[in-house]
Amino acid sequence: MTEQTENAARLARPLIRLAKLVGIATSYVGMSHDYHEIEDDVLVAVLKALGVDASNDEAIAQSITSIQHDRDTRIVAPTVLHIVGRESTVEIHGGALDVPEASITLENGDVYSGRIELRPNDGMAHDVDGDFVFTTLLVLPADLPEGYHTLDVTVGERSQQATIISAPERIELPEGMRDGSLWGWMGQLYSIRSHGSWGVGDFEDLKTLLTEGKKKTGADFMLINPVHAAEPVSPLTPSPYLPISRRFVNFTYIRPEALPEYMLLSMDDRARVDALHDQVASLNGDPRRIDRDAMWNAKIQALWIIFKSGRTADRQARFDKYLDACGGEIESYATWCLCYDKWGAPENDPDNWERKYNRDSPEIQQLRAQYPDTLEFYRWLEWVADEQLHAAQRAARSAGMKIGIIADMAVGVHPTGSDVWWNPERFAQGATVGAPPDMFNQQGQNWSQPPLNPIELERTGYKTYRDMVHGMFANAGAVRIDHILGLFRLWWIPEGRKAVDGAYVHYDSEIMLGILAVEASRAGGVVVGEDLGVVPPYVAESLARHGILGCAVEWFEQMDGVFRAPKDWRPYALASVNTHDMPPAAGYLEYGHVKLREQLGLLSGPVEEFRDSAVAEHNAMLNMLVGQGYLDKSALDDESAHEDEIVDALYRGLKGSPCKLMAASLVDAVGERRTQNQPGTNNEYPNWRVPLADGEEHAVPLEALYDNPRLQRLVSIMRG
């Protein structure tokens, strides 16, 4: 067997030492157990993206010295983790005669009144520039409450603050999951339209999906696509996984008529709004394509009419309270929207406003002053969107759903979006994230999203991440985190390089998982991590230890061509038959994934070879379903005639698992065959633009969804 570790000579090299010092993996083992060592030029480029100079031998030596000196001489690390109910220690650095003093200010502003113990750390001293720096251990007491606290430490004449992340040991399961499991639906919100929609599913449709889903099917949750913030004017990016900001909500999902202000409009203004709705109402019945741009071009005019009509004193007070709670963060997105509105999409111009100006530029301040109403409009839109999303979750819980919305968190943001433009220091400059080559993507993947800078996260107490997670749990009962392995390590690709030419950069997963535990605990919620593919054992162990559910997809639960019996799946998982990157069950059973990839030229080998593997997989699945008693063997004699029975069997298998959460797909429930997203394509396929339709491609309106006989048959399986 080939050695899969770096040799001593490589590990001794200054460049390798520098990379490891800041958390860059200098080698990795791929999906096929293939071992790779990262090339020097890639390491230099990734270090540069982290703000570390490794351009030559002298720079490497200086960077090592500088980083080590900063760590040895700082009084305390800028962010420290504490587990509620357990003592933990924090290293304090000072001189031989210095006696450290410490205090803790709790998140609510109170000073912690308990005893803070300092213990000597015998033998822990470093020679730094001819002086000895001694280490003392500060004990964070077991009774320190959950939350985000501030540690103040004084050593001699120097003082320093640190953020304490005081997290519960694990996320406790809510009622209904401790001794059993819950089931619910998963679907793409934009694809599910009602007669009141504007051509695209919206937050009022979501409210109906939730409340009627509980009433007519007994479901306890609805997993939806990410609803992070998007562009303010068309054309709108179709992919919900490439948002402008993860901190804010996509206001194109607003339902104008659900606003209290709509009811107070003058007769003329209400008629104008209604006429704008009528212009796009026919889109609700189009089974072929979601037209976000037509929807938004009409809806934004209606919202401007409502905005200009004004608000009651009570509504204005609520708006002001929302703005106060957002602080300066709302200005980042609102200002970016204003610039985009007046100056256009930055990616369309190499000499664009994002390159020329930053948030402090006089030109930006002048634009804000020139269009105060438009700036306020974008603040208002965000408030309304947040309010309507919150109302949907509140309605779900009032209807009896134990979870309600499962919100989906994208792995990153658009490279020219508001998050990156307003706070570039939060992101690595000159790198994007993706994935190394594997059996599915032989050239690797580049998702074009700039990664959060782990050095900046630590320096700022992870506030960016804390605010984002808090915002998501404010409007959801659970959060699904796309590519949760990214909390442990992300594949960074230097600018201008191919996806294969990257390196893994490590993050402090214990702190980030601790933040998830704090926010989930406060919301009484659940965290689901998308952990599909090869997951290192330490990652699986850590997720389980923190009470975070993984994902179990029936078509992926196999080993060497043999499918696992559902009864053997892990309990701590959200189970589903498929994902949005696959055709629905009916389409997958008739090899829709093979036909589409051949049609789009996505196969790296002969189509016959791919089809043969798909047939083998298909037959192995059916054999498992028959062997486990979920499907009668006679169905195999004529599969097309027994398609409904086979789909039902897939869901009986799902129901036969011990998984704590089980999601039934709405596309399977109505017989849809088309996939929502085909990885590796952009406009070659209408990704994220496929409306909900049945097997004959007839649009399925929300009003008829839960009364669909096929759906109700699936409900009978899921309810046992």
Side-chain angles (χ1 to χ4, degrees):
M1 181 177 177
T2 304
E3 186 69 24
Q4 294 195 324
T5 58
E6 295 165 281
N7 60 41
R10 177 175 169 83
L11 292 172
R13 294 181 58 219
L15 177 61
I16 303 301
R17 288 168 46 214
L18 174 59
K20 290 184 178 296
L21 193 62
V22 294
I24 301 173
T26 54
S27 65
Y28 75 95
V29 177
M31 195 173 190
S32 302
H33 306 290
D34 45 329
Y35 174 68
H36 302 267
E37 292 183 349
I38 309 302
E39 298 291 338
D40 286 4
D41 58 337
V42 173
L43 293 175
V44 170
V46 173
L47 283 161
K48 182 179 180 181
L50 274 171
V52 179
D53 187 4
S55 55
N56 54 53
D57 291 346
E58 183 180 353
I60 292 170
Q62 178 58 41
S63 292
I64 292 173
T65 300
S66 176
I67 292 169
Q68 199 61 62
H69 181 273
D70 288 347
R71 293 180 183 178
D72 289 340
T73 58
R74 69 187 181 190
I75 296 174
V76 62
T79 305
V80 296
L81 177 66
H82 172 256
I83 302 302
V84 175
R86 298 207 314 246
E87 281 190 354
S88 55
T89 58
V90 178
E91 288 190 354
I92 305 297
H93 296 153
L97 301 179
D98 292 330
V99 179
E101 297 179 358
S103 65
I104 298 174
T105 303
L106 301 178
E107 186 175 8
N108 64 3
D110 294 342
V111 176
Y112 174 72
S113 58
R115 180 169 177 265
I116 302 175
E117 182 184 353
L118 292 165
R119 297 174 184 168
N121 194 19
D122 296 337
M124 292 299 292
H126 302 280
D127 182 355
V128 181
D129 298 335
D131 294 324
F132 277 102
V133 175
F134 288 80
T135 301
T136 303
L137 296 180
L138 182 147
V139 180
L140 296 177
D143 65 351
L144 191 64
E146 177 184 305
Y148 309 118
H149 314 307
T150 302
L151 172 66
D152 288 277
V153 184
T154 299
V155 176
E157 297 182 353
R158 295 193 302 146
S159 296
Q160 192 174 326
Q161 285 188 338
T163 300
I164 301 173
I165 310 292
S166 184
E169 186 173 10
R170 63 184 286 109
I171 300 168
E172 297 300 328
L173 295 176
E175 180 187 354
M177 292 179 65
R178 294 169 198 157
D179 301 317
S181 62
L182 300 177
W183 83 274
W185 297 104
M186 64 181 191
Q188 305 295 314
L189 175 59
Y190 56 82
S191 72
I192 306 163
R193 291 87 52 89
S194 66
H195 295 317
S197 306
W198 290 58
V200 179
D202 57 35
F203 289 140
E204 197 67 14
D205 293 322
L206 176 59
K207 183 190 292 185
T208 303
L209 274 168
L210 292 160
T211 55
E212 292 294 292
K214 182 61 180 179
K215 177 182 176 182
K216 293 187 175 182
T217 73
D220 277 306
F221 64 82
M222 173 70 69
L223 168 60
I224 60 171
N225 53 276
V227 290
H228 303 307
E231 300 91 346
V233 295
S234 59
L236 303 178
T237 300
S239 174
Y241 290 94
L242 191 60
I244 296 306
S245 170
R246 292 190 292 175
R247 172 66 179 82
F248 293 103
V249 178
N250 189 331
F251 49 57
T252 70
Y253 285 109
I254 293 172
R255 173 73 67 86
E257 298 91 331
L259 276 161
E261 286 76 15
Y262 170 78
M263 301 303 297
L264 301 177
L265 291 175
S266 67
M267 290 183 63
D268 286 346
D269 281 346
R270 190 184 297 190
R272 291 166 62 200
V273 171
D274 293 346
L276 286 164
H277 175 266
D278 291 344
Q279 288 179 18
V280 293
S282 62
L283 296 176
N284 293 324
D286 185 348
R288 297 162 299 171
R289 191 74 55 93
I290 293 289
D291 191 341
R292 287 179 177 83
D293 294 334
M295 170 276 296
W296 187 235
N297 288 338
K299 188 186 287 188
I300 193 171
Q301 296 179 62
L303 290 167
W304 181 260
I305 293 169
I306 297 171
F307 167 73
K308 294 297 286 183
S309 72
R311 289 163 290 288
T312 64
D314 177 64
R315 290 282 290 166
Q316 183 63 46
R318 294 187 189 187
F319 181 27
D320 293 340
K321 183 178 180 181
Y322 169 81
L323 294 178
D324 288 343
C326 288
E329 290 293 315
I330 188 67
E331 297 308 308
S332 67
Y333 182 50
T335 304
W336 186 91
C337 286
L338 176 64
C339 295
Y340 193 105
D341 184 332
K342 302 304 179 183
W343 292 335
E347 60 265 31
N348 292 341
D349 179 7
D351 188 31
N352 62 68
W353 53 269
E354 278 201 347
R355 289 182 179 272
K356 291 191 292 186
Y357 310 132
N358 60 38
R359 65 186 186 187
D360 299 320
S361 298
E363 293 84 356
I364 299 300
Q365 303 312 314
Q366 181 180 348
L367 191 71
R368 285 168 55 91
Q370 184 179 357
Y371 297 102
D373 275 7
T374 308
L375 184 63
E376 186 77 343
F377 177 55
Y378 286 123
R379 297 188 190 105
W380 176 82
L381 284 176
E382 192 52 44
W383 168 58
V384 171
D386 184 81
E387 192 177 53
Q388 291 195 356
L389 178 58
H390 186 75
Q393 171 62 10
R394 191 170 61 244
R397 298 305 294 267
S398 296
M401 277 193 165
K402 292 186 171 64
I403 292 178
I405 297 170
I406 299 185
D408 203 346
M409 181 193 292
V411 71
V413 294
H414 199 292
T416 63
S418 64
D419 284 2
V420 181
W421 176 64
W422 192 264
N423 294 111
E425 72 282 355
R426 296 177 180 176
F427 297 86
Q429 302 300 309
T432 55
V433 299
D438 58 33
M439 63 186 70
F440 301 109
N441 295 276
Q442 297 175 359
Q443 300 303 315
Q445 300 176 64
N446 187 334
W447 302 329
S448 79
Q449 299 159 326
L452 286 170
N453 187 324
I455 297 173
E456 181 70 7
L457 281 172
E458 183 191 30
R459 188 187 70 80
T460 58
Y462 287 75
K463 191 171 187 310
T464 299
Y465 189 72
R466 283 158 40 193
D467 288 348
M468 179 175 60
V469 176
H470 177 78
M472 295 196 71
F473 268 115
N475 297 318
V479 173
R480 174 193 179 272
I481 299 177
D482 191 42
H483 191 64
I484 200 167
L485 272 68
L487 303 189
F488 296 81
R489 66 182 190 184
L490 272 175
W491 184 254
W492 286 26
I493 306 162
E495 188 175 4
R497 304 297 295 260
K498 296 179 180 179
V500 67
D501 297 323
Y504 279 115
V505 176
H506 289 273
Y507 290 75
D508 193 325
S509 60
E510 287 297 303
I511 288 179
M512 298 182 86
L513 295 176
I515 291 168
L516 287 173
V518 170
E519 297 300 335
S521 173
R522 290 176 170 179
V526 179
V527 176
V528 177
E530 187 270 292
D531 59 349
L532 302 173
V534 175
V535 179
Y538 76 93
V539 172
E541 183 277 329
S542 179
L543 295 177
R545 178 164 43 84
H546 285 86
I548 294 174
L549 277 65
C551 289
V553 178
E554 191 162 14
W555 283 101
F556 297 164
E557 289 291 321
Q558 55 177 299
M559 181 68 69
D560 298 326
V562 178
F563 281 92
R564 296 184 186 91
K567 63 182 176 60
D568 296 328
W569 298 356
R570 52 184 167 154
Y572 262 67
L574 166 67
S576 63
V577 170
N578 40 36
T579 77
H580 54 241
D581 290 336
M582 303 166 60
Y588 205 79
L589 288 169
E590 63 178 17
Y591 305 108
H593 52 308
V594 178
K595 298 170 187 174
L596 185 58
R597 291 187 192 185
E598 179 186 15
Q599 176 186 334
L600 298 175
L602 298 176
L603 298 176
S604 57
V607 64
E608 294 80 12
E609 184 178 310
F610 184 56
R611 172 173 280 279
D612 288 346
S613 68
V615 169
E617 176 192 63
H618 175 109
N619 292 337
M621 171 63 81
L622 298 191
N623 288 336
M624 184 277 288
L625 295 174
V626 170
Q628 294 298 314
Y630 299 125
L631 179 66
D632 191 290
K633 190 175 182 179
S634 62
L636 305 188
D637 295 335
D638 187 348
E639 291 181 20
S640 61
H642 296 85
E643 178 184 277
D644 289 353
E645 294 173 44
I646 296 172
V647 173
D648 288 352
L650 288 166
Y651 278 92
R652 289 193 192 95
L654 195 71
K655 187 66 177 174
S657 79
C659 297
K660 292 295 183 181
L661 293 177
M662 302 175 198
S665 175
L666 286 173
V667 289
D668 289 345
V670 299
E672 173 69 274
R673 298 175 184 275
R674 301 168 297 175
T675 186
Q676 286 291 324
N677 177 57
Q678 175 54 58
T681 64
N682 185 13
N683 290 319
E684 303 92 331
Y685 182 79
N687 294 325
W688 315 112
R689 285 163 283 187
V690 178
L692 185 66
D694 61 21
E696 284 70 47
E697 296 191 17
H698 298 136
V700 177
L702 176 55
E703 290 85 352
L705 175 62
Y706 289 127
D707 296 322
N708 183 300
R710 183 171 184 150
L711 180 143
Q712 283 296 328
R713 193 177 70 244
L714 191 55
V715 168
S716 68
I717 294 172
M718 298 306 295
R719 299 187 75 170

